[in-house]
Amino acid sequence: MKIHKWILALALSINAIAVKADNVISVTAKKYEFIPAEITVKAGVPVVLQFQTADRKHGVSIPGLHLRTDINPGQPAEIRFTPDQPGTYDFICDVFCGSGHEGMTGKLIVTK
Amino acid sequence: MDDQIDRREFLKLASIGGVVFVSTLSNQHSAQAFSPKKDFFFVQLSDTHWGFDGKKVNPDAKGTLPKAIKELQGLEQKPEFIVFTGDLTQISDDASVRKQRMKEFKDIVSELSSFKVLFMPGEHDASLDNGEMYKEFFGATHYTWDHKGVHFIVIDNVSDPGGIIGKTQLQWLEDDLKLQKPDANIVVFTHRPLFDLYPQWDWTTKDGDAAIKLLMPFKNVTVFYGHIHQEHHHFTGHIAHHSAKSLMLPMPPAGSVPKREPILWVANEPYKGLGFREVKSLTKNRTFTIEEFGINAGTT
């Protein structure tokens, strides 16, 4: 009986990891772009945006959702959230990174 | 002082939309006589972006700043000082190009040697090396001085590439303000807006609210800034914030277009959206009068 419970718990954990992994979106920041620059997520579904930089320090800010993080070399950064309002939210690099900094932008699209 | 009265008066005056704009820090109008002993005026220039190259935006990129300088040299009455509120130069990823641009800018503004000229950095000048090269050319990035009853404070919100003032400078600001009386007449110069004007275009200072909180106990505070390349007038409580036009490239109003891109040059309206301003300080009544000037295409 105990073994069955343990197997069930293990199965649920694996399932949870799989669900989590599905909602992790990897984003690379580099001078002067985000890849991908357009990210689509679903309202009501938890999501993890996982950022890494390919060159120097950057930052990402999604002002419409009051979310931001620094993106330091060698230190992947995460933003975890559950979007609730469908819409398009601009995101920008908010750590000045050079001549193309002002064009380093992207869009987060939250669908129903 | 009633903040609501101030705001209504401010909006009424702003709605005039003409050349002369009056920002009053009290509920008295500014139509008083100019008293040279106590009153004075200064000139604010901003966002000269020396080194910018974009013919569709400004085909006279090398001529606009010299034209403004000629106009300043021709002023009938001499301002007590001229202040450049940042982005003196256009950023380059090549440090030697940045250095050359700073040198050229400094040479050009040396034409103003008969005036007292003050500088502060913008992110284009300082954010790639924490202001080190800027300091070599122009000195400190934050400082204070007093003039005819006004306490001036320059706040640096660009040397940190994250667009912050930072704890050390905020402590410096707090220490400086401790020496001021509650009714002191305080003017702040800074590059970025201290408030969240439009964070979607990075028109903000992440810890600007901490500076505003420190300034809030003082009854007479006015902030002049740049960064957004257009006139903009805003109040946080009783504190007035006035942004200046650029002398290189005009920008559209916040969020009015999908992307933060300069307004293109209009051939039959050259230099539209570019210019500088005079600020008259009528100290006795804690009043500032702002007068905007464009660039005269005929100036050579």
Side-chain angles (χ1 to χ4, degrees):
Chain A
M1 192 66 178
K2 270 186 179 176
I3 291 171
H4 284 164
K5 275 186 179 173
W6 185 83
I7 290 170
L8 182 62
L10 182 65
L12 287 171
S13 299
I14 290 168
N15 189 43
I17 290 166
V19 168
K20 219 172 178 183
D22 283 345
N23 294 313
V24 174
I25 297 169
S26 179
V27 182
T28 298
K30 64 171 192 170
K31 293 195 289 187
Y32 297 102
E33 59 183 333
F34 290 102
I35 304 170
E38 193 170 297
I39 300 165
T40 301
V41 297
K42 273 190 100 168
V45 178
V47 64
V48 180
L49 302 180
Q50 205 168 65
F51 294 92
Q52 52 277 317
T53 170
D55 41 42
R56 51 155 292 147
K57 181 175 179 175
H58 294 280
V60 63
S61 171
I62 315 171
L65 297 175
H66 304 289
L67 298 169
R68 82 160 302 279
T69 183
D70 286 337
I71 312 167
N72 288 301
Q75 296 172 13
E78 285 186 355
I79 295 179
R80 293 170 176 266
F81 67 109
T82 303
D84 58 355
Q85 290 295 320
T88 300
Y89 300 88
D90 293 330
F91 60 89
I92 60 169
C93 175
D94 69 347
V95 172
F96 194 87
C97 57
S99 60
H101 167 74
E102 284 148 4
M104 190 167 166
T105 62
K107 285 191 185 304
L108 177 77
I109 299 162
V110 180
T111 60
K112 284 183 185 173
Chain B
M1 187 166 62
D2 184 329
D3 292 353
Q4 292 305 312
I5 290 171
D6 264 1
R7 192 168 291 107
R8 280 200 302 273
E9 184 173 41
F10 174 87
L11 291 170
K12 183 176 71 182
L13 292 160
S15 70
I16 295 167
V19 176
V20 178
F21 177 86
V22 180
S23 168
T24 170
L25 299 180
S26 70
N27 54 10
Q28 297 177 50
H29 285 282
S30 65
Q32 298 104 12
F34 193 78
S35 165
K37 281 188 182 172
K38 291 180 179 172
D39 302 334
F40 64 95
F41 79 99
F42 64 86
V43 171
Q44 181 189 5
L45 300 96
S46 202
D47 296 271
T48 50
H49 285 265
W50 185 256
F52 172 82
D53 183 18
K55 288 186 170 44
K56 288 184 176 175
V57 174
N58 187 344
D60 189 28
K62 288 188 187 303
T64 308
L65 174 60
K67 280 183 171 66
I69 288 172
K70 285 272 183 198
E71 290 185 30
L72 294 177
Q73 287 168 327
L75 289 176
E76 284 181 18
Q77 204 177 349
K78 193 173 173 179
E80 306 241 348
F81 64 87
I82 294 168
V83 60
F84 285 83
T85 45
D87 279 355
L88 315 176
T89 59
Q90 177 74 10
I91 190 69
S92 167
D93 296 328
D94 183 336
S96 66
V97 174
R98 284 210 306 279
K99 195 167 192 172
Q100 182 61 24
R101 288 176 181 173
M102 286 198 190
K103 185 180 179 307
E104 288 174 8
F105 175 85
K106 199 169 181 181
D107 287 347
I108 291 164
V109 299
S110 69
E111 295 284 322
L112 296 169
S113 58
S114 63
F115 299 89
K116 179 180 180 180
V117 184
L118 299 150
F119 301 99
M120 75 195 63
E123 73 279 5
H124 281 246
D125 309 306
S127 287
L128 280 189
D129 64 358
N130 301 107
E132 287 308 312
M133 190 183 291
Y134 171 90
K135 283 187 257 187
E136 285 174 28
F137 280 87
F138 303 104
T141 62
H142 62 281
Y143 50 96
T144 66
W145 78 99
D146 294 282
H147 186 73
K148 289 191 175 177
V150 180
H151 184 59
F152 291 94
I153 305 172
V154 170
I155 294 177
D156 170 6
N157 51 9
V158 296
S159 289
D160 186 308
I164 62 167
I165 300 165
K167 285 182 182 171
T168 305
Q169 196 184 173
L170 284 167
Q171 186 59 56
W172 166 85
L173 177 64
E174 186 176 349
D175 291 345
D176 177 72
L177 291 172
K178 278 179 188 166
L179 305 174
Q180 302 303 316
K181 292 178 181 168
D183 65 346
N185 201 6
I186 295 171
V187 168
V188 173
F189 293 116
T190 189
H191 181 67
R192 293 167 163 271
L194 291 177
F195 62 96
D196 281 350
L197 197 164
Y198 197 62
Q200 291 88 336
W201 287 0
D202 208 19
W203 288 359
T204 184
T205 300
K206 292 188 188 81
D207 55 357
D209 55 344
I212 290 171
K213 191 176 171 188
L214 291 172
L215 293 162
M216 199 55 84
F218 298 90
K219 289 196 294 186
N220 306 300
V221 181
T222 307
V223 182
F224 294 97
Y225 67 102
H227 191 57
I228 71 164
H229 297 214
Q230 64 197 283
E231 262 191 278
H232 187 275
H233 308 280
H234 178 80
F235 276 98
T236 52
H238 62 283
I239 299 175
H241 304 254
H242 306 290
S243 66
K245 290 174 182 171
S246 163
L247 273 170
M248 184 58 83
L249 57 151
M251 294 293 285
S256 62
V257 291
K259 280 200 163 190
R260 175 184 50 174
E261 289 176 339
I263 296 170
L264 299 181
W265 183 267
V266 180
N268 60 0
E269 292 180 285
Y271 309 99
K272 187 181 179 185
L274 305 179
F276 58 92
R277 64 165 48 135
E278 281 186 8
V279 180
K280 286 189 177 70
S281 171
L282 301 163
T283 306
K284 189 179 174 188
N285 295 298
R286 305 283 198 254
T287 304
F288 292 93
T289 304
I290 301 172
E291 190 168 356
E292 302 287 343
F293 292 84
I295 300 298
N296 184 351
T299 306
T300 55

